[in-house]
Amino acid sequence: MAPEAAARPTRAELRLAAREQSRAQRRGAAKAATRTALLRVALPSVAALGVAAAAAITVQGEADQQRAQAAGRVPSQATADDAPDGTAAQAAAQVAADGGRTQASRGDARQPLAGTQPAEAPPAPAPAPEPVKPKVVMPVAQHGLGELFGEAGSRWANRHTGIDFPVDGGSQVMAVADGTIRTQWNPFYGYMSILKMSDGTEAWYCHLRSYKIRKGPVKQGDVIAFVGSSGNSTGPHLHFEVRPAGSGPIDPLPWFLANGLDPR
Ligand SMILES: [Zn+2]
């Protein structure tokens, strides 16, 4: 019976076997958990995977170092409790390496769907555009337009060559930009104030009641005159025209809009 007795595992061997089994199970579980975590983190992109894997290895590596030091100080405790974690670190590194390949192959697999699915990792949002600072200000305080550019009407020889701001007589009229003022009388436009801007564009303010500034440089927003109904006009309003250098009147509304201001 001696061989049988010799073949029977001792209690110590049984403990060792149980420990080995437990270690293997834990190793497997740790590896699976690590793989799952890494894959979750890694999914957004290959670049993110690289970072995640590097981070995992770094953190794990530091933890291992600390454990190894602890184990060195207390060798008797450096048993089954430490081994699986150390193995897990290796597993993490391995999974990280595997993950790269896995991710790459997944990327390949997803290629045909690229057109039908939203991109997983949208490009970093472009920096919010700077709010456009209007280059011009309102010629009167109140928004809102009456007759528009190009409209036909009995009051005009041809088409309407500007836009009308239907505001009360006496309302302040402002320089829409820095420039130079000149004033004149015209039987059709009445008392008119002309603001010449730095690019040569002229703004015509017409049917005025009176002037505040007859001539000379003004700054944007300066009050230059007051609304009236002089000339060929049926009631108080500001008739406003825009005339680029060397050009006839253009539609002031898109000009305002292009300069960042909606007068409507
Ligand atoms: Zn008009």
Side-chain angles (χ1 to χ4, degrees):
M1 302 299 283
E4 252 187 67
R8 182 178 298 165
T10 64
R11 191 172 292 178
E13 285 170 329
L14 281 173
R15 267 207 306 273
L16 184 62
R19 184 180 290 170
E20 286 293 336
Q21 190 178 4
S22 162
R23 185 180 299 179
Q25 285 169 354
R26 293 169 67 169
R27 187 182 307 154
K31 188 168 182 175
T34 307
R35 182 185 293 273
T36 303
L38 276 171
L39 285 180
R40 269 195 202 123
V41 172
L43 274 177
S45 73
V46 174
L49 170 82
V51 173
I57 291 168
T58 303
V59 171
Q60 196 66 53
E62 286 170 1
D64 286 341
Q65 238 175 359
Q66 287 169 2
R67 280 199 195 85
Q69 287 166 0
R73 285 196 298 275
V74 192
S76 62
Q77 290 180 357
T79 56
D81 287 343
D82 297 289
D85 288 335
T87 307
Q90 291 166 5
Q94 183 61 40
V95 168
D98 288 344
R101 287 194 290 277
T102 304
Q103 182 64 25
S105 61
R106 282 188 184 195
D108 294 343
R110 276 199 298 268
Q111 286 290 339
L113 298 174
T116 58
Q117 290 187 341
E120 258 190 42
E130 294 277 325
V132 177
K133 183 180 182 292
K135 295 184 183 118
V136 297
V137 298
M138 289 286 289
V140 292
Q142 186 181 318
H143 283 250
L145 299 178
E147 302 286 349
L148 299 176
F149 181 86
E151 291 186 14
S154 58
R155 294 198 302 283
W156 308 304
N158 293 301
R159 298 253 165 188
H160 195 208
T161 51
I163 52 177
D164 290 349
F165 291 86
V167 293
D168 294 338
S171 298
Q172 293 181 329
V173 170
M174 277 78 74
V176 294
D178 293 354
T180 304
I181 290 289
R182 71 177 191 273
T183 52
Q184 63 194 52
W185 163 262
N186 175 286
F188 180 75
Y189 288 117
Y191 293 109
M192 55 187 299
S193 197
I194 298 173
L195 170 70
K196 188 166 189 173
M197 294 168 250
S198 58
D199 66 352
T201 300
E202 289 183 352
W204 288 15
Y205 302 79
C206 306
H207 309 308
L208 301 173
R209 172 185 292 178
S210 58
Y211 305 121
K212 183 171 184 187
I213 297 175
R214 288 183 173 274
K215 192 177 181 181
V218 293
K219 300 304 262 181
Q220 185 178 63
D222 284 353
V223 175
I224 57 173
F226 301 93
V227 170
S229 187
S230 58
N232 184 17
S233 169
T234 57
H237 71 282
L238 175 68
H239 173 94
F240 183 86
E241 292 193 8
V242 172
R243 294 172 176 250
S247 160
I250 62 168
D251 187 347
L253 180 53
W255 179 82
F256 273 113
L257 296 175
N259 282 288
L261 180 72
D262 189 346
R264 292 171 293 188

